[in-house]
Amino acid sequence: MPTAPMPEFPTGFRWGVSTSAYQIEGAAGTDGRGPSIWDTFAHPPGRIVDGSSGEVACDHYHRYAEDVALMAGLGVTAYRFSVAWPRVLPTGGGAVNPAGLDFYERLVDELLDHGIDPVATLFHWDLPQPLEDAGGWLNRDTAHRFADYADAVAARLGDRVKLWITLNEPFIHMSLGYGIGVHAPGRMLLLDAFPVAHHQLLGHGLAVAALRAHSTSPVAIANNYSPVRTVGDSPADAAAAAAYEALHNRLFTDPLLGRGYPPELGFDTTVVRDGDLDVIAAPIDVLGVNYYHPTGVRAPEEGAPLPFDLVPLTGYPRTAFDWPVVPDGLRDLLGWLRDRYGADLPPIQVTESGCAYDDVPDATGRVPDPDRIAYLEAHLRAVRAAIDDGVEVTGYFVWSLLDNWEWAEGFTKRFGLVHVDFDTGHRTPKSSYAWLREVIATARRGPVR
Ligand code: GBH
C-alpha cells in the first residue's frame, strides 16, 4: 500500500491498461486470420527462450468478456489494445475479412457497455507474413498497405474508438526486428535498417489521413523513449551518448514534429522522396510515451559496428528482466520532450509503464507483488512531478492488464496486474490490482473539499 496518499491528478486524467494482440489473443488460426511474422519467427527452435509462441497465449480472443470485466473491476477509464492486421487483411492487402473486424467490434462494444474508452493501436509488430515476403517495412509499398488497413478499421470502428494509435514503438520494431534480429522478422541490418524507420513513419502519416476521413477521435503514435545516461566523461563518450539520443529518442519524433531526420547518424536517406516529410509531419493530437528505463551509453571500441556502446546502469534496484528501476527517468524524459519540442509537443499520454517480476500464487491462492506496487507508485509520482514541472500529461496506462507472451522471452516474464496460469488460462488479480483500484477510485472521486 502507498506509504503516503497519492498526489491528486487533473480532472479527466485517463487511467488505463495496455495489451497487444499477438501477446494475448491466441486463436492464431481462427475466423480467417492470416499468418503474421511472429507466427513465422516463433516456430524454429532457439529464438524464444521457452520455445513457446503466441498461438494460444491468454486466449483473450475467446475470453475477452472476462477480461473486460476485470478492467471494469479495476475502474480504468480506458483500455489500450491492438488490432491484428492479419485478422483484418489476412494477406496484408486485398479483401477485408469481416470476421476479423467482428471480433474488434465485439470487444469495443463490450468496453463501451462498461464505460471504458477503447484506445486502438493499429500496428503492434504483427505484420502479415505476405507483406514480409514482399520486403516488409523495407518496401515502401507496405506504408500504402498500412494506410489501406487503417482505412478498413476506421470505416468499421471510427465512431466508437476514442483514441487511435497508429504504430507501437517503431524504433523497437526497427532496431530489434531489422537491426539486430532478436524480434521478428529477424533481420540484422544494423543502421542500414533506416528505410524501416522511414516507411513506418510514412505509413503513420498516410494512416493519419485515413483515420481522419472516418473518425473525429484524436490520433496518436506510441514511441518508446529511454533517457540517455552518459557513462564516462571523455568527449568520445559524450558523442556516443548524443548518437544514441538521436537514434532512440529523436529518429521518430523529430520528423513527426516537423524537424526532419537527425543528421548525426549519417543515414543514407535516398528512400526519402519529395513531400514525404510533410506527410509524416501531419499534426497529431496526442504523443504516446512508453517508458521502461534509461540507457547507459559510452564510446565504442575502435572499429565497432555501431557508434555507441550500451552499458548496464549500476546502483538501482532491478526488475526480473534486469532492467533498472529509475522513476526519475520518466520525469526527466517528460521534461526533455517539453524542452526539446516546445509548442510543437502535443499533450502526452504515458501509453505503457510497468515491470516484470517473478509473481507466484501463495498457499492461499493470492498473488502478492509488492515490488510492482512500489514500481507503479513511484512512476505515478514521477508523472505527477512532471505535471507540476509544467508538462501536459493527460493519461497513464499500465503495461499490462495480464501476464502475457513477452516476445523473445516467451511466457517467462510476467508484467500483469492479473496473474495468468498459462496451462488453464485462469486469471487471478495480484495485490497490485487491488492497490491500483484504490488509487484510481480515489483519483476519480476528485479532490476532497
Ligand atoms: C514494450 O517494449 C512493448 O510495447 C510491449 O509489447 C512489451 O511487452 C513491453 O514493452 C515489455 O517489454 O536494457 O538492453 O535490456 C519495450 C521495449 C526494448 C524496452 C528493450 C526495454 C531493454 C534494453 N523494450 N529495452 S536492455
Side-chain angles (χ1 to χ4, degrees):
M1 294 296 121
T3 44
M6 289 296 284
E8 286 170 10
F9 282 82
T11 313
F13 190 81
R14 184 173 253 163
W15 295 92
V17 284
S18 288
T19 64
S20 89
Y22 191 72
Q23 295 179 271
I24 66 165
E25 285 179 358
T30 304
D31 293 338
R33 175 188 175 282
S36 84
I37 57 173
W38 275 96
D39 299 296
T40 308
F41 184 77
H43 276 114
R47 287 164 168 173
I48 311 299
V49 294
D50 56 2
S52 63
S53 78
E55 205 170 327
V56 176
C58 304
D59 198 26
H60 169 79
Y61 192 81
H62 298 110
R63 290 177 173 255
Y64 73 92
E66 178 184 353
D67 293 336
V68 173
L70 284 164
M71 294 175 219
L74 183 57
V76 290
T77 62
Y79 172 49
R80 174 177 175 241
F81 60 96
S82 80
V83 177
W85 188 346
R87 287 197 192 283
V88 177
L89 290 155
T91 62
V96 170
N97 171 34
L101 283 170
D102 291 347
F103 169 68
Y104 297 104
E105 184 159 66
R106 290 194 293 279
L107 173 64
V108 161
D109 289 345
E110 187 77 8
L111 290 164
L112 293 172
D113 283 348
H114 287 83
I116 299 169
D117 287 348
V119 175
T121 302
L122 292 174
F123 181 65
H124 200 124
W125 307 347
D126 47 354
L127 192 77
Q129 182 62 40
L131 294 184
E132 170 60 22
D133 297 340
W137 288 106
L138 291 163
N139 182 348
R140 184 180 173 95
D141 187 57
T142 298
H144 293 280
R145 299 287 73 75
F146 182 65
D148 293 346
Y149 157 60
D151 182 87
V153 177
R156 177 78 82 96
L157 300 174
D159 56 338
R160 282 163 286 174
V161 165
K162 301 297 181 204
L163 173 66
W164 296 102
I165 297 176
T166 54
L167 306 174
N168 178 69
E169 299 187 350
F171 170 72
I172 301 297
H173 188 55
M174 176 192 78
S175 58
L176 302 193
Y178 291 79
I180 61 172
V182 299
H183 279 188
R187 307 194 53 152
M188 287 180 246
L189 300 171
L190 298 178
L191 297 181
D192 291 339
F194 173 77
V196 173
H198 183 60
H199 296 147
Q200 284 187 95
L201 282 169
L202 184 64
H204 157 85
L206 296 168
V208 170
L211 293 168
R212 299 225 189 269
H214 292 286
S215 178
T216 56
S217 294
V219 178
I221 187 169
N223 280 322
N224 181 275
Y225 296 95
S226 185
V228 175
R229 303 279 169 91
T230 311
V231 176
D233 43 27
S234 73
D237 292 322
Y244 195 71
E245 180 91 274
L247 181 66
H248 195 136
N249 296 327
R250 292 170 44 212
L251 175 58
F252 290 85
T253 311
D254 278 10
L256 281 165
L257 299 181
R259 284 154 174 75
Y261 286 112
E264 284 85 342
L265 294 142
F267 287 123
D268 173 358
T269 55
T270 47
V271 296
V272 181
R273 297 189 190 165
D274 282 353
D276 285 359
L277 287 170
D278 293 333
V279 173
I280 290 168
I284 51 173
D285 306 297
V286 170
L287 180 66
V289 168
N290 295 0
Y291 170 73
Y292 288 90
H293 59 77
T295 301
V297 181
R298 68 177 172 205
E301 308 266 303
E302 275 283 312
L306 291 169
F308 47 77
D309 187 20
L310 305 186
V311 276
L313 289 171
T314 52
Y316 297 101
R318 310 188 87 80
T319 69
F321 228 135
D322 221 25
W323 299 346
V325 178
V326 191
D328 284 349
L330 179 53
R331 181 183 185 175
D332 296 347
L333 163 64
L334 294 168
W336 178 85
L337 286 165
R338 193 264 325 265
D339 293 346
R340 176 163 178 82
Y341 298 105
D344 296 325
L345 183 70
I348 288 172
Q349 296 192 15
V350 177
T351 36
E352 285 183 27
S353 170
C355 49
Y357 287 107
D358 296 324
D359 308 314
V360 282
D362 68 15
T364 67
R366 294 193 182 86
V367 185
D369 59 343
D371 291 338
R372 179 168 294 99
I373 293 173
Y375 186 102
L376 295 176
E377 178 180 350
H379 286 76
L380 276 168
R381 289 185 188 282
V383 170
R384 178 65 247 193
I387 294 171
D388 291 337
D389 296 339
V391 188
E392 190 178 0
V393 187
T394 59
Y396 180 89
F397 293 72
V398 174
W399 184 273
S400 182
L401 174 70
L402 302 172
D403 291 343
N404 60 47
W405 192 77
E406 178 54 33
W407 308 115
E409 302 292 318
F411 293 113
T412 68
K413 296 291 184 289
R414 295 180 175 273
F415 276 88
L417 296 162
V418 175
H419 180 274
V420 177
D421 177 324
F422 292 112
D423 294 323
T424 63
H426 185 73
R427 277 97 161 120
T428 308
K430 302 178 190 176
S431 52
S432 57
Y433 174 100
W435 172 82
L436 186 63
R437 182 178 60 207
E438 292 315 309
V439 170
I440 296 174
T442 305
R444 289 182 68 181
R445 275 196 295 274
V448 182
R449 305 207 187 274

